Amino acid sequence: MARRPGLDARIVVVGCGIAGLGAAQRLVRRGFRDVRVLEATARSGGRVHTGRLGSNIVEIGANWIHGPSQENPVFRLACGYNLLDQEAMSEENQAVDVGGHPPFVPSFLSSNGRWLSADVMAPVIQLYTSLLDKCQSFHTTGGEPVESVGEFIRRELPKLAMQEWQDQPAAWDARMAFARTLLKVECCVCGTHSMDHVGLGAFGMYTTLPGLDCTFPGGYEGLIDHMMAELPKDIVSYNRPVKCIHWNESGSALPVRIECENGEMVPADHVILTVPLGYLKKHQNTLLDPPLPLGKKHSIQRMGFGTNNKIFLEFEEPFWEPDCEIIYLVWEDEVGLTDVVTDIRTSWIKKLSGFTVLKPTERYGHVLCGWIAGHESEYMETLSEAEVLHTVTQLIRRFTGNPIIAPRMLLRSQWHSQPYTCDIDNLAQPLPLSGSHSKPLQVLFAGEATHPRFFSTVHGALESGWREADRLIHHYDPSPAPLTSRL
């Protein structure tokens, strides 16, 4: 018997991260009966990856729900699955608007082995934050004076500092050193090697949501587990890396064939591709046949991305104050407002901008999470765990002035080493492009890099998966209202 159109359309989702899961879940809920997910690795979740450091839960990948409020689809799902504590779900927490700058209680450690005064460092945070806000404004006002955020900060911060700190010359060196640290922090926030690679005009494209960032008490992967539980059994095929997507095929009942590395051929009416931007950059010439249109290739080449890794350290006892939530590392021997190191092999550790303190202590123990981005982060991945532990231990001893302090355990992420681990509107356009006489919506693109406002976030990835699922739903049944605003 001939297959019915619409709900019997064969849809293959490539990638079982949050974007792919969101798309599959959306399609299944709307009654599509032939949905399959191909996942290259042995697990679901992509960069949502909860692990353990001893007996403590740690987030190797995504850490927070950024902007936990009703506008955030991840927050709504987490509330629906009852995965958050009452404080995170409270109306008070949802109403807090920090503009993307969580109010962590900071401490400041110097490379000279001393604690720096918060009163001395606080003006740097205020000045630096005001400059970041100015950077964001160029997206709507235009007229950016330089090309990158890094150039703008280097040009403006010393001038404003001279005006505002002229009555405190003794604090100048330490404050400028801390400004360098904040540039490195921003590299982690933006996922870039250097803020010189982040366009000033595009910086304000990212949209922050209200709500004080929160975590999952039982781990972020709880969200993945609940989403997976709602899908049909065996819908996901694991260890199925895709070699090539053959599309626009003539003489075949179905226009798409997905060729897996193991030789399996999966025919489809539509494929939703959710692979990371870095993977697209590396395989853009071979992943699709016919190849990507030139305009899409150019967009992929122009879009920037970088590696951001975590280094978790567990201690027998804390060396930080009980209320401390973030420890900034201030390298007082560095010169100039730079966010990269001169010699990666010998100085990669200088890119480590600081540590967040995992809270609450009763859940995590005495654990710090160090943040490092860029090429220095990629080099760290090439070192053995023993080498990383030794280097980080020497770092902490230098900054605390304590020659015997030592973490008792280390765990690090290695995202650059994971083989399957980005212009945005152009990248999100399905193939074939509009104006073609071929069957529509053969290849669709999702993932956080295709979201114009929430890139680099879990909720951006989720919404992109929903967007492409809605595109197919509307294609077969254009009458219902889009589902994008609902679960």
Side-chain angles (χ1 to χ4, degrees):
M1 185 172 64
R3 293 191 308 113
R4 290 171 51 203
L7 297 182
D8 284 332
R10 291 184 179 176
I11 304 173
V12 173
V13 180
V14 176
C16 199
I18 194 75
L21 263 179
Q25 185 185 48
R26 191 82 144 200
L27 291 165
V28 168
R29 283 180 173 180
R30 280 302 298 264
F32 284 82
R33 293 185 280 266
D34 198 344
V35 179
R36 183 178 178 187
V37 182
L38 301 178
E39 167 55 39
T41 71
R43 52 174 291 273
S44 300
R47 295 215 175 188
V48 174
H49 188 189
T50 302
R52 288 194 172 271
L53 182 62
S55 60
N56 303 310
I57 291 175
V58 293
E59 300 293 3
I60 298 171
N63 204 88
W64 293 280
I65 300 180
H66 294 293
S69 58
Q70 292 305 311
E71 298 174 66
N72 188 319
V74 171
F75 177 72
R76 298 199 306 272
L77 277 180
C79 290
Y81 295 138
N82 198 30
L83 296 175
L84 304 177
D85 57 35
Q86 291 302 312
E87 181 181 359
M89 293 189 292
S90 68
E91 292 186 6
E92 292 79 9
N93 195 81
Q94 295 180 53
V96 176
D97 194 347
V98 298
H101 307 294
F104 293 133
V105 177
S107 293
F108 310 88
L109 273 174
S110 163
S111 55
N112 293 331
R114 60 193 179 103
W115 294 93
L116 300 172
S117 166
D119 291 338
V120 173
M121 296 293 105
V124 186
I125 296 177
Q126 296 167 3
L127 177 56
Y128 185 80
T129 301
S130 70
L131 285 173
L132 283 187
D133 292 340
K134 177 66 174 176
C135 289
Q136 291 181 322
S137 69
F138 288 112
H139 177 61
T140 54
T141 63
E144 53 267 27
V146 293
E147 291 187 357
S148 72
V149 174
E151 291 177 87
F152 185 78
I153 296 293
R154 281 198 303 275
R155 192 185 81 165
E156 297 297 320
L157 192 144
K159 291 192 300 185
L160 293 175
M162 287 288 289
Q163 299 170 14
E164 298 187 14
W165 307 338
Q166 57 182 329
D167 59 337
Q168 298 173 297
W172 176 268
D173 289 344
R175 285 177 171 174
M176 292 303 291
F178 181 41
R180 287 192 293 272
T181 297
L182 292 176
L183 267 180
K184 296 174 186 177
V185 170
E186 203 63 29
C187 289
C188 292
V189 173
C190 294
T192 183
H193 174 57
S194 168
M195 294 308 293
D196 289 350
H197 298 169
V198 179
L200 186 57
F203 187 64
M205 291 174 62
Y206 179 80
T207 301
T208 61
L209 296 175
L212 194 58
D213 292 0
C214 65
T215 59
F216 289 79
Y220 222 130
E221 276 191 8
L223 177 65
I224 303 300
D225 294 340
H226 278 77
M227 294 179 71
M228 286 292 299
E230 293 187 359
L231 293 176
K233 186 179 180 182
D234 300 328
I235 190 175
V236 181
S237 298
Y238 294 101
N239 298 307
R240 290 293 196 284
V242 169
K243 180 179 181 180
C244 183
I245 297 171
H246 305 272
W247 62 285
N248 223 14
E249 295 203 318
S250 58
S252 174
L254 301 179
V256 182
R257 286 184 305 128
I258 298 94
E259 180 184 359
C260 299
E261 293 280 2
N262 65 358
E264 180 183 1
M265 286 287 190
V266 183
D269 291 289
H270 313 278
V271 58
I272 301 177
L273 188 59
T274 72
V275 297
L277 176 60
Y279 190 81
L280 272 181
K281 281 180 174 287
K282 186 175 181 180
H283 299 279
Q284 58 180 302
N285 293 322
T286 60
L287 187 58
L288 279 87
D289 179 26
L292 286 166
L294 192 59
K296 273 190 179 288
K297 284 188 175 183
H298 287 168
S299 293
I300 292 170
Q301 291 164 359
R302 286 192 296 262
M303 293 175 70
F305 84 108
T307 302
N308 191 14
N309 274 313
K310 301 177 181 180
I311 302 174
F312 295 97
L313 303 168
E314 183 185 32
F315 294 84
E316 191 74 40
E317 296 293 337
F319 61 82
W320 53 91
E321 294 297 322
D323 63 342
C324 176
E325 295 175 313
I326 186 168
I327 301 172
Y328 291 109
L329 301 181
V330 181
W331 292 89
E332 293 197 64
D333 61 338
E334 290 185 329
V335 178
L337 277 175
T338 180
D339 53 15
V340 298
V341 303
T342 55
D343 187 335
I344 289 179
R345 295 180 63 87
T346 61
S347 303
W348 67 268
I349 193 64
K350 285 193 170 186
K351 191 62 171 286
L352 187 70
S353 56
F355 301 94
T356 49
V357 182
L358 300 196
K359 296 285 184 96
T361 302
E362 54 268 24
R363 182 193 307 169
Y364 295 108
H366 306 304
V367 177
L368 298 180
C369 175
W371 299 83
I372 183 169
H375 301 328
E376 298 87 349
S377 176
E378 296 166 9
Y379 178 74
M380 179 273 295
E381 295 189 27
T382 69
L383 303 176
S384 69
E385 188 167 294
E387 289 176 296
V388 175
L389 179 59
H390 173 78
T391 303
V392 175
T393 300
Q394 295 305 310
L395 171 88
I396 292 173
R397 289 176 176 176
R398 172 178 177 174
F399 275 76
T400 59
N402 183 338
I404 61 172
I405 194 171
R408 64 182 185 183
M409 199 176 300
L410 175 144
L411 177 69
R412 58 173 167 167
S413 62
Q414 293 175 283
W415 289 113
H416 183 71
S417 303
Q418 301 296 318
Y420 308 105
T421 340
C422 78
D423 314 328
I424 293 177
D425 289 336
N426 190 28
L427 181 58
Q429 288 300 309
L431 296 176
L433 299 176
S434 59
S436 170
H437 297 293
S438 302
K439 291 183 179 180
L441 305 180
Q442 295 180 35
V443 184
L444 302 96
F445 298 84
E448 52 83 16
T450 71
H451 199 292
R453 298 187 300 126
F454 299 144
F455 41 84
S456 300
T457 65
V458 178
H459 56 275
L462 178 61
E463 281 202 353
S464 74
W466 285 356
R467 179 193 67 219
E468 298 312 308
D470 286 348
R471 204 189 297 270
L472 290 175
I473 291 167
H474 184 74
H475 172 66
Y476 286 106
D477 187 2
S479 56
L483 297 177
T484 305
S485 61
R486 306 196 298 273
L487 299 183

